[in-house]
Amino acid sequence: MPPLLLGPRPTQSKVGCVNRSSDMSSGKWKSVSSTELAQSIDNGGAGNSAEILIVDCRSLVAFNGLHIRGAIHVNCTGIGRKRLSQGKAKLKDLISSAEGKEKFIRGGVGTTFVIYDELSSDPEDCNPCRPICLVLQNLLKEGRNISVLKGKSCS
């Protein structure tokens, strides 16, 4: 019998995880502070053509407890996360409300999608298995303008 050779294990990610190095390079998105977001919202309210859509990637319980005014919720947990990572569902399918789905669908060219969760203090440290990273990956695939809110949000 030939000797047993141990080679490197093939890299397999957990269901719902993304390949951070190729899918989430920061050249394709930017980080924004809460102050910058507030200024953009204020400027948008003054007739600015650039539209902002805020996407909450936290649990539904956290979203219902407190969220940024006007934010839509993406329920990217459990079976939804698995279906999204396998390409069997689209991001819009995981939006919790009909109003949120309409906002998401209307968000076209020129719309900046600002995403946030309760764990991301620095977007560069994004754990690829967290919902915010899966949302980021899907928005990148769709060619959307994306900003990640810096700092931890209220939980």
Side-chain angles (χ1 to χ4, degrees):
M1 259 179 110
L4 180 63
L5 298 175
L6 296 176
R9 283 181 119 178
T11 56
Q12 296 178 354
S13 64
K14 296 178 183 176
V15 173
C17 298
V18 296
N19 181 345
R20 189 184 186 296
S21 61
S22 65
D23 295 333
M24 299 181 354
S25 66
S26 60
K28 297 178 182 178
W29 53 270
K30 66 177 190 167
S31 57
V32 62
S33 70
S34 57
T35 304
E36 292 168 325
L37 177 60
Q39 289 172 346
S40 295
I41 291 170
D42 289 343
N43 292 340
N48 191 348
S49 62
E51 188 178 329
I52 296 171
L53 183 59
I54 303 168
V55 180
D56 190 318
C57 301
R58 301 175 303 146
S59 71
L60 185 57
V61 172
F63 176 79
N64 285 335
L66 181 66
H67 61 270
I68 298 172
R69 188 176 338 144
I72 64 172
H73 178 254
V74 176
N75 189 11
C76 195
T77 57
I79 191 73
R81 167 199 241 152
K82 182 177 179 181
R83 294 189 73 228
L84 186 62
S85 67
Q86 293 173 341
K88 295 180 180 177
K90 296 203 180 268
L91 199 53
K92 69 178 180 177
D93 300 328
L94 303 182
I95 297 173
S96 301
S97 69
E99 179 185 356
K101 284 182 186 185
E102 288 178 30
K103 282 182 178 181
F104 184 84
I105 292 167
R106 280 195 319 258
V109 177
T111 299
T112 298
F113 291 78
V114 179
I115 62 176
Y116 73 97
D117 69 0
E118 73 273 6
L119 298 172
S120 298
S121 58
D122 182 1
E124 292 294 330
D125 296 332
C126 192
N127 178 332
C129 292
R130 287 212 324 267
I132 192 171
C133 297
L134 189 56
V135 170
L136 177 59
Q137 178 194 40
N138 278 270
L139 288 171
L140 286 170
K141 281 182 189 176
E142 294 177 9
R144 306 286 187 149
N145 297 324
I146 308 162
S147 292
V148 178
L149 186 59
K150 287 189 276 190
K152 296 179 181 181
S153 71
C154 305
S155 52

